[in-house]
Short mmCIF file of all heavy atoms in Angstrom, two decimals:
data_model
loop_
_atom_site.label_atom_id
_atom_site.label_comp_id
_atom_site.label_asym_id
_atom_site.label_seq_id
_atom_site.Cartn_x
_atom_site.Cartn_y
_atom_site.Cartn_z
N ARG A 27 0.84 -1.21 0.00
CA ARG A 27 0.00 0.00 0.00
C ARG A 27 0.87 1.25 0.00
O ARG A 27 0.56 2.24 -0.68
CB ARG A 27 -0.95 0.00 1.20
CG ARG A 27 -2.17 -0.87 1.00
CD ARG A 27 -3.26 -0.58 2.02
NE ARG A 27 -2.83 -0.80 3.40
CZ ARG A 27 -2.86 -1.97 4.02
NH1 ARG A 27 -3.30 -3.04 3.39
NH2 ARG A 27 -2.47 -2.06 5.27
N ILE A 28 1.95 1.22 0.76
CA ILE A 28 2.87 2.37 0.79
C ILE A 28 3.45 2.59 -0.60
O ILE A 28 3.48 3.72 -1.10
CB ILE A 28 3.98 2.14 1.83
CG1 ILE A 28 3.40 2.16 3.25
CG2 ILE A 28 5.11 3.16 1.68
CD1 ILE A 28 4.32 1.59 4.32
N GLY A 29 3.91 1.53 -1.23
CA GLY A 29 4.47 1.63 -2.57
C GLY A 29 3.45 2.15 -3.57
O GLY A 29 3.76 3.00 -4.41
N ASP A 30 2.22 1.64 -3.50
CA ASP A 30 1.16 2.09 -4.40
C ASP A 30 0.86 3.57 -4.22
O ASP A 30 0.64 4.31 -5.18
CB ASP A 30 -0.12 1.28 -4.20
CG ASP A 30 0.00 -0.15 -4.70
OD1 ASP A 30 0.95 -0.44 -5.47
OD2 ASP A 30 -0.86 -0.98 -4.32
N TYR A 31 0.86 4.01 -2.96
CA TYR A 31 0.59 5.42 -2.67
C TYR A 31 1.67 6.32 -3.27
O TYR A 31 1.37 7.32 -3.93
CB TYR A 31 0.47 5.64 -1.16
CG TYR A 31 0.18 7.06 -0.80
CD1 TYR A 31 -1.10 7.58 -0.92
CD2 TYR A 31 1.19 7.91 -0.35
CE1 TYR A 31 -1.37 8.90 -0.60
CE2 TYR A 31 0.93 9.23 -0.02
CZ TYR A 31 -0.35 9.72 -0.15
OH TYR A 31 -0.62 11.03 0.16
N ILE A 32 2.92 5.95 -3.06
CA ILE A 32 4.03 6.75 -3.59
C ILE A 32 4.01 6.72 -5.12
O ILE A 32 4.28 7.74 -5.77
CB ILE A 32 5.38 6.25 -3.04
CG1 ILE A 32 5.44 6.46 -1.52
CG2 ILE A 32 6.56 6.94 -3.73
CD1 ILE A 32 6.61 5.78 -0.84
N ALA A 33 3.67 5.58 -5.70
CA ALA A 33 3.67 5.42 -7.16
C ALA A 33 2.64 6.32 -7.85
O ALA A 33 2.80 6.62 -9.03
CB ALA A 33 3.40 3.97 -7.52
N GLN A 34 1.63 6.75 -7.13
CA GLN A 34 0.64 7.65 -7.73
C GLN A 34 1.30 8.93 -8.25
O GLN A 34 0.90 9.47 -9.28
CB GLN A 34 -0.45 8.02 -6.72
CG GLN A 34 -1.34 6.87 -6.36
CD GLN A 34 -2.32 7.24 -5.26
OE1 GLN A 34 -2.52 8.41 -4.94
NE2 GLN A 34 -2.93 6.23 -4.67
N ASP A 35 2.31 9.41 -7.53
CA ASP A 35 3.01 10.63 -7.93
C ASP A 35 4.36 10.37 -8.58
O ASP A 35 4.80 11.16 -9.40
CB ASP A 35 3.24 11.53 -6.70
CG ASP A 35 1.94 12.09 -6.16
OD1 ASP A 35 1.01 12.33 -6.95
OD2 ASP A 35 1.86 12.28 -4.93
N ASN A 36 5.02 9.26 -8.17
CA ASN A 36 6.38 9.04 -8.64
C ASN A 36 6.70 7.54 -8.64
O ASN A 36 7.26 7.02 -7.67
CB ASN A 36 7.37 9.80 -7.74
CG ASN A 36 8.76 9.82 -8.28
OD1 ASN A 36 9.15 8.98 -9.10
ND2 ASN A 36 9.55 10.78 -7.83
N PRO A 37 6.37 6.85 -9.74
CA PRO A 37 6.60 5.40 -9.79
C PRO A 37 8.06 4.99 -9.57
O PRO A 37 8.33 3.98 -8.92
CB PRO A 37 6.14 5.02 -11.20
CG PRO A 37 5.20 6.11 -11.61
CD PRO A 37 5.70 7.35 -10.93
N THR A 38 8.98 5.77 -10.08
CA THR A 38 10.40 5.44 -9.91
C THR A 38 10.79 5.52 -8.44
O THR A 38 11.49 4.63 -7.92
CB THR A 38 11.28 6.38 -10.75
OG1 THR A 38 10.87 6.29 -12.11
CG2 THR A 38 12.75 6.03 -10.62
N ARG A 39 10.34 6.55 -7.77
CA ARG A 39 10.65 6.70 -6.34
C ARG A 39 9.98 5.60 -5.53
O ARG A 39 10.55 5.13 -4.54
CB ARG A 39 10.20 8.08 -5.84
CG ARG A 39 10.45 8.28 -4.36
CD ARG A 39 11.93 8.18 -4.02
NE ARG A 39 12.13 8.32 -2.58
CZ ARG A 39 12.95 7.56 -1.87
NH1 ARG A 39 13.70 6.63 -2.45
NH2 ARG A 39 13.08 7.74 -0.58
N ALA A 40 8.81 5.17 -5.93
CA ALA A 40 8.12 4.10 -5.22
C ALA A 40 8.98 2.84 -5.20
O ALA A 40 9.13 2.18 -4.16
CB ALA A 40 6.77 3.81 -5.86
N ILE A 41 9.57 2.52 -6.33
CA ILE A 41 10.42 1.32 -6.41
C ILE A 41 11.65 1.47 -5.52
O ILE A 41 11.97 0.56 -4.75
CB ILE A 41 10.83 1.04 -7.87
CG1 ILE A 41 9.60 0.65 -8.68
CG2 ILE A 41 11.91 -0.03 -7.94
CD1 ILE A 41 9.82 0.62 -10.18
N SER A 42 12.31 2.61 -5.59
CA SER A 42 13.52 2.79 -4.78
C SER A 42 13.17 2.83 -3.29
O SER A 42 13.91 2.29 -2.46
CB SER A 42 14.29 4.03 -5.20
OG SER A 42 13.56 5.21 -4.93
N PHE A 43 12.04 3.44 -2.95
CA PHE A 43 11.67 3.50 -1.54
C PHE A 43 11.31 2.12 -1.00
O PHE A 43 11.62 1.80 0.15
CB PHE A 43 10.50 4.47 -1.30
CG PHE A 43 10.23 4.65 0.16
CD1 PHE A 43 11.06 5.43 0.95
CD2 PHE A 43 9.15 4.03 0.77
CE1 PHE A 43 10.84 5.58 2.30
CE2 PHE A 43 8.91 4.17 2.13
CZ PHE A 43 9.75 4.95 2.89
N MET A 44 10.69 1.31 -1.81
CA MET A 44 10.37 -0.05 -1.37
C MET A 44 11.64 -0.85 -1.09
O MET A 44 11.69 -1.62 -0.13
CB MET A 44 9.50 -0.77 -2.41
CG MET A 44 8.12 -0.14 -2.59
SD MET A 44 7.24 0.15 -1.05
CE MET A 44 7.03 -1.51 -0.48
N HIS A 45 12.68 -0.62 -1.88
CA HIS A 45 13.97 -1.27 -1.61
C HIS A 45 14.56 -0.76 -0.28
O HIS A 45 15.08 -1.54 0.52
CB HIS A 45 14.96 -1.03 -2.74
CG HIS A 45 14.65 -1.79 -3.99
ND1 HIS A 45 14.69 -3.16 -4.07
CD2 HIS A 45 14.28 -1.37 -5.22
CE1 HIS A 45 14.36 -3.55 -5.28
NE2 HIS A 45 14.10 -2.48 -5.99
N GLU A 46 14.44 0.54 -0.05
CA GLU A 46 14.93 1.12 1.21
C GLU A 46 14.17 0.55 2.40
O GLU A 46 14.76 0.21 3.43
CB GLU A 46 14.75 2.63 1.20
CG GLU A 46 15.66 3.37 0.27
CD GLU A 46 15.34 4.86 0.22
OE1 GLU A 46 14.82 5.40 1.23
OE2 GLU A 46 15.58 5.48 -0.82
N LEU A 47 12.85 0.45 2.25
CA LEU A 47 12.03 -0.06 3.33
C LEU A 47 12.36 -1.52 3.63
O LEU A 47 12.46 -1.93 4.79
CB LEU A 47 10.55 0.10 2.97
CG LEU A 47 9.53 0.05 4.08
CD1 LEU A 47 9.84 1.05 5.18
CD2 LEU A 47 8.15 0.32 3.52
N ARG A 48 12.60 -2.27 2.59
CA ARG A 48 12.99 -3.68 2.77
C ARG A 48 14.33 -3.78 3.51
O ARG A 48 14.50 -4.59 4.41
CB ARG A 48 13.08 -4.36 1.40
CG ARG A 48 13.50 -5.80 1.44
CD ARG A 48 12.50 -6.65 2.17
NE ARG A 48 13.04 -8.00 2.26
CZ ARG A 48 12.45 -9.00 2.82
NH1 ARG A 48 11.28 -8.83 3.36
NH2 ARG A 48 13.01 -10.16 2.87
N LYS A 49 15.28 -2.91 3.14
CA LYS A 49 16.57 -2.90 3.84
C LYS A 49 16.40 -2.51 5.31
O LYS A 49 17.10 -3.02 6.18
CB LYS A 49 17.55 -1.95 3.15
CG LYS A 49 18.10 -2.50 1.86
CD LYS A 49 19.10 -1.55 1.25
CE LYS A 49 19.59 -2.10 -0.08
NZ LYS A 49 20.54 -1.19 -0.72
N ALA A 50 15.45 -1.61 5.56
CA ALA A 50 15.18 -1.20 6.94
C ALA A 50 14.66 -2.37 7.77
O ALA A 50 14.94 -2.45 8.97
CB ALA A 50 14.18 -0.05 6.97
N THR A 51 13.96 -3.30 7.15
CA THR A 51 13.51 -4.49 7.88
C THR A 51 14.67 -5.47 8.07
O THR A 51 14.73 -6.14 9.10
CB THR A 51 12.34 -5.21 7.19
OG1 THR A 51 12.75 -5.71 5.92
CG2 THR A 51 11.14 -4.29 7.03
N GLU A 52 15.57 -5.53 7.13
CA GLU A 52 16.72 -6.44 7.23
C GLU A 52 17.67 -6.05 8.36
O GLU A 52 18.34 -6.90 8.93
CB GLU A 52 17.44 -6.52 5.89
CG GLU A 52 16.63 -7.21 4.82
CD GLU A 52 17.26 -7.13 3.43
OE1 GLU A 52 18.37 -6.60 3.30
OE2 GLU A 52 16.60 -7.59 2.48
N VAL A 53 17.71 -4.76 8.69
CA VAL A 53 18.54 -4.27 9.79
C VAL A 53 18.15 -4.96 11.10
O VAL A 53 18.99 -5.17 11.98
CB VAL A 53 18.39 -2.73 9.92
CG1 VAL A 53 18.94 -2.21 11.22
CG2 VAL A 53 19.03 -2.04 8.74
N LEU A 54 16.90 -5.35 11.20
CA LEU A 54 16.40 -5.98 12.43
C LEU A 54 17.07 -7.31 12.72
O LEU A 54 17.03 -7.79 13.85
CB LEU A 54 14.89 -6.17 12.33
CG LEU A 54 14.07 -4.91 12.06
CD1 LEU A 54 12.61 -5.26 11.86
CD2 LEU A 54 14.25 -3.90 13.18
N SER A 55 17.68 -7.91 11.73
CA SER A 55 18.31 -9.22 11.92
C SER A 55 19.57 -9.16 12.76
O SER A 55 19.98 -10.16 13.34
CB SER A 55 18.63 -9.86 10.57
OG SER A 55 19.68 -9.15 9.93
N VAL A 56 20.18 -8.00 12.87
CA VAL A 56 21.46 -7.89 13.56
C VAL A 56 21.31 -7.75 15.07
O VAL A 56 21.75 -8.63 15.82
CB VAL A 56 22.30 -6.73 12.97
CG1 VAL A 56 23.66 -6.66 13.64
CG2 VAL A 56 22.45 -6.88 11.47
N PHE A 57 20.72 -6.68 15.54
CA PHE A 57 20.52 -6.44 16.97
C PHE A 57 19.07 -6.02 17.22
O PHE A 57 18.81 -4.87 17.60
CB PHE A 57 21.47 -5.36 17.49
CG PHE A 57 22.91 -5.77 17.51
CD1 PHE A 57 23.81 -5.15 16.67
CD2 PHE A 57 23.35 -6.77 18.36
CE1 PHE A 57 25.15 -5.52 16.68
CE2 PHE A 57 24.68 -7.14 18.37
CZ PHE A 57 25.59 -6.52 17.53
N PRO A 58 18.12 -6.91 17.02
CA PRO A 58 16.71 -6.51 17.14
C PRO A 58 16.32 -6.01 18.52
O PRO A 58 15.45 -5.15 18.65
CB PRO A 58 15.94 -7.78 16.78
CG PRO A 58 16.89 -8.89 17.06
CD PRO A 58 18.25 -8.33 16.76
N GLU A 59 16.99 -6.51 19.54
CA GLU A 59 16.63 -6.11 20.89
C GLU A 59 17.19 -4.74 21.26
O GLU A 59 16.91 -4.22 22.34
CB GLU A 59 17.04 -7.18 21.89
CG GLU A 59 16.21 -8.44 21.68
CD GLU A 59 16.64 -9.62 22.51
OE1 GLU A 59 17.83 -9.70 22.88
OE2 GLU A 59 15.79 -10.47 22.77
N ALA A 60 17.94 -4.13 20.36
CA ALA A 60 18.42 -2.77 20.58
C ALA A 60 17.31 -1.74 20.34
O ALA A 60 17.41 -0.60 20.78
CB ALA A 60 19.60 -2.47 19.65
N PHE A 61 16.27 -2.16 19.64
CA PHE A 61 15.15 -1.27 19.37
C PHE A 61 14.18 -1.29 20.55
O PHE A 61 14.00 -2.33 21.19
CB PHE A 61 14.44 -1.69 18.07
CG PHE A 61 15.29 -1.52 16.86
CD1 PHE A 61 16.09 -2.56 16.40
CD2 PHE A 61 15.34 -0.31 16.18
CE1 PHE A 61 16.89 -2.41 15.29
CE2 PHE A 61 16.14 -0.15 15.06
CZ PHE A 61 16.92 -1.20 14.62
N PRO A 62 13.54 -0.16 20.83
CA PRO A 62 12.71 -0.08 22.04
C PRO A 62 11.40 -0.86 21.93
O PRO A 62 10.84 -1.03 20.84
CB PRO A 62 12.41 1.42 22.15
CG PRO A 62 12.47 1.92 20.74
CD PRO A 62 13.56 1.11 20.08
N LEU A 63 10.94 -1.31 23.10
CA LEU A 63 9.60 -1.88 23.18
C LEU A 63 8.59 -0.76 23.00
O LEU A 63 8.85 0.39 23.39
CB LEU A 63 9.40 -2.55 24.55
CG LEU A 63 10.18 -3.84 24.77
CD1 LEU A 63 10.18 -4.20 26.25
CD2 LEU A 63 9.60 -4.97 23.94
N VAL A 64 7.45 -1.08 22.42
CA VAL A 64 6.41 -0.08 22.20
C VAL A 64 5.70 0.18 23.52
O VAL A 64 5.25 -0.76 24.19
CB VAL A 64 5.41 -0.56 21.13
CG1 VAL A 64 4.27 0.45 20.97
CG2 VAL A 64 6.11 -0.78 19.80
N SER A 65 5.63 1.45 23.89
CA SER A 65 4.97 1.85 25.13
C SER A 65 3.52 1.35 25.15
O SER A 65 2.78 1.55 24.19
CB SER A 65 5.00 3.37 25.26
OG SER A 65 4.36 3.77 26.45
N GLY A 66 3.18 0.68 26.23
CA GLY A 66 1.84 0.13 26.36
C GLY A 66 1.71 -1.30 25.84
O GLY A 66 0.71 -1.95 26.06
N TYR A 67 2.75 -1.77 25.14
CA TYR A 67 2.75 -3.12 24.57
C TYR A 67 3.96 -3.93 25.03
O TYR A 67 4.30 -4.93 24.42
CB TYR A 67 2.73 -3.05 23.03
CG TYR A 67 1.47 -2.45 22.48
CD1 TYR A 67 1.34 -1.08 22.32
CD2 TYR A 67 0.39 -3.26 22.14
CE1 TYR A 67 0.17 -0.53 21.84
CE2 TYR A 67 -0.78 -2.71 21.64
CZ TYR A 67 -0.88 -1.34 21.50
OH TYR A 67 -2.04 -0.80 21.02
N GLU A 68 4.56 -3.49 26.10
CA GLU A 68 5.78 -4.15 26.59
C GLU A 68 5.54 -5.64 26.87
O GLU A 68 6.41 -6.46 26.59
CB GLU A 68 6.29 -3.47 27.87
CG GLU A 68 6.76 -2.06 27.68
CD GLU A 68 5.66 -1.02 27.87
OE1 GLU A 68 4.48 -1.40 28.01
OE2 GLU A 68 5.98 0.18 27.89
N ASP A 69 4.36 -5.97 27.41
CA ASP A 69 4.08 -7.36 27.76
C ASP A 69 3.93 -8.26 26.54
O ASP A 69 4.02 -9.47 26.64
CB ASP A 69 2.83 -7.46 28.65
CG ASP A 69 1.59 -6.89 27.99
OD1 ASP A 69 1.70 -5.94 27.20
OD2 ASP A 69 0.49 -7.40 28.30
N THR A 70 3.73 -7.66 25.36
CA THR A 70 3.59 -8.44 24.13
C THR A 70 4.93 -8.61 23.41
O THR A 70 5.04 -9.40 22.48
CB THR A 70 2.60 -7.79 23.15
OG1 THR A 70 3.13 -6.54 22.71
CG2 THR A 70 1.23 -7.61 23.79
N GLY A 71 5.92 -7.83 23.84
CA GLY A 71 7.23 -7.91 23.21
C GLY A 71 7.34 -7.18 21.89
O GLY A 71 8.31 -7.34 21.15
N ILE A 72 6.35 -6.35 21.56
CA ILE A 72 6.39 -5.63 20.29
C ILE A 72 7.38 -4.47 20.39
O ILE A 72 7.34 -3.68 21.32
CB ILE A 72 4.99 -5.11 19.89
CG1 ILE A 72 4.04 -6.29 19.68
CG2 ILE A 72 5.08 -4.25 18.63
CD1 ILE A 72 2.60 -5.89 19.40
#
């Protein structure tokens, strides 16, 4: 949905941003516990 939204104005940017977003998820593989727990959801581990 994010990619589709961006593509409405700039299809080329949508593709590059989707690659960036995917890389941002891959960063989680290294030190995922370095990222903060979500306030109010600590008991769920989110």
Side-chain angles (χ1 to χ4, degrees):
R27 280 195 300 274
I28 292 165
D30 289 345
Y31 180 78
I32 295 170
Q34 291 175 15
D35 292 328
N36 190 338
T38 303
R39 178 61 183 137
I41 293 168
S42 66
F43 187 75
M44 295 310 296
H45 288 295
E46 290 174 28
L47 199 54
R48 179 64 184 179
K49 285 182 183 179
T51 64
E52 291 172 4
V53 166
L54 304 174
S55 69
V56 183
F57 292 113
E59 293 173 334
F61 294 92
L63 289 165
V64 176
S65 179
Y67 295 87
E68 295 90 352
D69 59 329
T70 66
I72 297 175

